[in-house]
Amino acid sequence: MATEECGYATGFRDTLGALANPKAFTGAIDLAQVESGWAVSKLREMIRIRVAEEFVGELSESGEARCPCHLGIGQEAVAVGVSAHLKSSDRVFGAHRSHSHYLALGGGLTELFGEVLGKEIGSSKGMGGSMHLYGPEVGFHGSVPIVGATIPIATGAGLACKMDGAGGIAVSYFGDGAAEEGLLHESLNMASILKLPVIFVCENNLFSSHLDIHLRQPQNTIARFATAHAMPSHTVDGNDVVAVARATEQLVARARKGEGPGFLEAVTYRWRGHVGAKEDIDVGVRRHPEELVAWKHRDPVRRLADSLIARGAMAVDGVAKITEEMSADCTEAIDRARKAPYPPVSNLLDFVYQRGGK
């Protein structure tokens, strides 16, 4: 259905241009001035995330995972590129699609699958499910399903980082749909005025649930909101891990020096639907099969692998071998999670509500 047929946004401007065109940026990643070892490590991290999410999708479809599971398959380069410049002492906050954010920081597979299956060994002790991951040991301070809810929390964490003076920063992940929440703009304003060390990372996948950005906003560039708050920003190809890492490096360096917040807009696309393992090409207004196929050609994993193979830094069957290795790791982690006990009912009081005096 065309935009005009819906009667919405007839004045829409495509300000992202080629970045929003799935037929652009499909070639190999530019690895100039990039060490092969670094690139291979990022490829392994992206494949680890993808394989883990594919397993989560299977657990969701089979009904073994009883919580809603939001998958970000196709968006792996964003979390991996951003995390390349973070420390475990930083304070990172996700949203409802945060498996990649948690794993890219070094979160454990057993803890992820344990949480998805509601087991006591889960990252949140089995009390939260897929949308409530928590791993402070790797710098991940939580994700929640309420759209945009962690943005002001991350801003507050940035204020704490500034006050303690230890050089830490906060990171807030959110999607283009959350950019329509008023709290984002309040947070951007506060961070800019107080020069807080916060990196706002918008994974602009062009959809809010099932609704195309063309039907929700007058433009498709989210970084324009950073400009309105006098905040430096970069808008990059979110399926290029090198581009994401380079842009993040600049913003993080400023923030650690006390020069204030930064905004990263990573243009990407999720291969699966809003929730669950299905692709959702039969719902919504503009998520057409041909568009999804085109975006799969812009695969962040395949493009980086092609670059490494062309350089001679990886064998042609390198991706298959890494995928096999990661699949074995996930299988073992799921087996451990399945054998683990469910949390006792009494934990509802111990971990959901705080007892008086504790």
Side-chain angles (χ1 to χ4, degrees):
M1 183 182 296
T3 300
E4 291 75 10
E5 291 174 334
C6 298
Y8 298 105
T10 53
F12 179 83
R13 289 199 297 142
D14 177 13
T15 45
L16 286 176
L19 284 175
N21 178 4
K23 296 181 180 179
F25 301 101
T26 57
I29 302 295
D30 181 5
L31 292 182
Q33 301 181 341
V34 174
E35 294 181 0
S36 295
W38 182 91
V40 170
S41 71
K42 299 306 137 188
L43 180 67
R44 290 179 61 85
E45 290 174 23
M46 287 196 290
I47 294 175
R48 179 175 182 255
I49 292 168
R50 177 164 301 180
V51 172
E53 287 217 288
E54 287 172 343
F55 273 103
V56 171
E58 292 177 7
L59 293 171
S60 178
E61 278 208 309
S62 70
E64 190 172 356
R66 301 179 186 179
C67 59
C69 295
H70 298 71
L71 305 175
I73 295 173
Q75 302 185 183
E76 298 86 355
V78 183
V80 171
V82 170
S83 298
H85 300 288
L86 301 181
K87 304 174 182 178
S88 60
S89 55
D90 292 327
R91 304 167 194 190
V92 181
F93 296 82
H96 56 273
R97 199 181 308 281
S98 281
H99 302 145
S100 62
H101 308 149
Y102 173 73
L103 292 176
L105 289 168
L109 291 170
T110 299
E111 290 79 3
L112 172 67
F113 290 118
E115 193 56 43
V116 169
L117 294 177
K119 297 301 184 72
E120 198 168 17
I121 60 172
S123 66
S124 297
K125 303 185 184 303
M127 308 302 289
S130 166
M131 294 188 288
H132 294 90
L133 302 177
Y134 181 60
E137 70 282 359
V138 296
F140 193 70
H141 288 262
S143 58
V144 299
I146 300 172
V147 175
T150 55
I151 297 173
I153 299 174
T155 305
L159 176 60
C161 290
K162 180 176 181 177
M163 293 177 70
D164 68 29
I169 65 170
V171 174
S172 173
Y173 284 105
F174 55 93
D176 49 292
E180 293 151 17
E181 298 283 347
L183 51 77
L184 170 69
H185 306 275
E186 296 173 30
S187 298
L188 291 176
N189 182 65
M190 178 177 175
S192 183
I193 290 293
L194 298 180
K195 289 193 173 184
L196 303 182
V198 184
I199 308 302
F200 298 92
V201 181
C202 178
E203 293 177 278
N204 185 356
N205 61 24
L206 312 174
F207 273 84
S208 175
S209 183
H210 304 98
L211 199 59
D212 192 301
I213 196 169
H214 292 74
L215 303 179
R216 303 165 9 236
Q217 298 199 27
Q219 302 177 23
N220 53 5
T221 305
I222 304 300
R224 70 186 192 275
F225 300 132
T227 302
H229 291 283
M231 186 181 300
S233 68
H234 293 287
T235 298
V236 301
D237 173 10
N239 286 15
D240 180 340
V241 69
V242 175
V244 173
R246 283 176 174 161
T248 302
E249 183 177 25
Q250 295 178 25
L251 297 174
V252 168
R254 287 187 72 259
R256 293 200 194 280
K257 288 190 293 185
E259 296 177 3
F263 193 104
L264 176 67
E265 178 181 15
V267 183
T268 185
Y269 201 86
R270 54 176 157 79
W271 294 6
R272 303 297 176 92
H274 171 60
V275 60
K278 298 187 183 306
E279 294 182 338
D280 282 3
I281 54 176
D282 57 343
V283 298
V285 182
R286 283 177 52 90
R287 192 172 166 92
H288 299 303
E290 57 269 28
E291 185 173 279
L292 177 58
V293 169
W295 273 100
K296 287 184 177 180
H297 285 298
R298 197 161 145 177
D299 180 358
V301 171
R302 191 270 305 163
R303 291 168 63 198
L304 181 57
D306 284 352
S307 303
L308 287 165
I309 293 170
R311 177 183 274 191
M314 193 177 74
V316 173
D317 61 350
V319 170
K321 289 184 176 179
I322 297 172
T323 300
E324 184 178 352
E325 178 186 338
M326 297 304 170
S327 295
D329 289 347
C330 287
T331 300
E332 291 178 7
I334 292 172
D335 185 55
R336 285 192 291 271
R338 283 174 171 151
K339 293 176 180 175
Y342 288 104
V345 174
S346 61
N347 281 8
L348 284 171
L349 297 178
D350 290 335
F351 300 121
V352 176
Y353 299 102
Q354 184 174 18
R355 294 179 186 273
K358 288 191 175 181

